[in-house]
Amino acid sequence: MNKNYNRRQRSNTNNEENVQTHDHEFTASTKLAEEDDDRHNHRFAGVTSEVIPRGNSHVHSILVNTDFLDHHHEVAITTGPAIHVGEGKHIHLIKGTTTFDDGHVHDLLFTTLIDKPLV
């Protein structure tokens, strides 16, 4: 696969299309699904897309696989708008479901981590 697949060119110009914005890390677990001996959840982690402007705020997209038991799920979802947490920092709430695999879905409810937490 071409290493530059779907990657935008970056430069030091002031052209808005070339300005890198920010992303957020996330680590989360799905809610439990199924019953009895099949009851289980999954874990997943990753980094969001860069900023997607939305109204007076912005959102990010997430596309990741969960961990694998005897199956896995995909998480393809858009975050909610920025939630300010002070000192110019923010997080995003994510609520939804995984893909339907192995006869079920998992509900999701988690937040991103703060972008650049030490800066």
Side-chain angles (χ1 to χ4, degrees):
M1 177 185 280
N2 181 347
K3 285 184 179 180
N4 293 321
Y5 176 75
N6 206 19
R7 184 180 293 177
R8 289 186 292 152
Q9 292 282 26
R10 305 281 189 228
S11 72
N12 291 329
T13 68
N14 288 331
N15 182 340
E16 284 187 28
E17 290 182 23
N18 293 326
V19 174
Q20 188 171 358
T21 57
H22 72 270
D23 54 30
H24 295 264
E25 297 170 90
F26 59 87
T27 180
S29 295
T30 66
K31 295 201 175 198
L32 292 166
E34 298 197 293
E35 299 296 327
D36 302 319
D37 291 340
D38 289 334
R39 194 144 175 87
H40 68 282
N41 72 327
H42 296 269
R43 297 172 301 162
F44 55 98
V47 177
T48 68
S49 72
E50 290 185 55
V51 167
I52 302 168
R54 181 84 38 96
N56 293 331
S57 187
H58 68 277
V59 297
H60 300 268
S61 63
I62 292 174
L63 180 57
V64 66
N65 290 338
T66 66
D67 63 351
F68 185 85
L69 296 167
D70 60 350
H71 67 281
H72 77 276
H73 300 267
E74 293 178 2
V75 176
I77 199 163
T78 301
T79 71
I83 300 169
H84 297 281
V85 295
E87 299 184 28
K89 302 291 185 178
H90 68 276
I91 60 172
H92 296 267
L93 178 68
I94 299 91
K95 184 176 181 179
T97 60
T98 65
T99 54
F100 182 84
D101 293 285
D102 196 40
H104 65 276
V105 299
H106 292 267
D107 289 330
L108 304 169
L109 180 61
F110 65 100
T111 63
T112 63
L113 301 177
I114 298 171
D115 67 311
K116 296 180 255 162
L118 301 178
V119 179

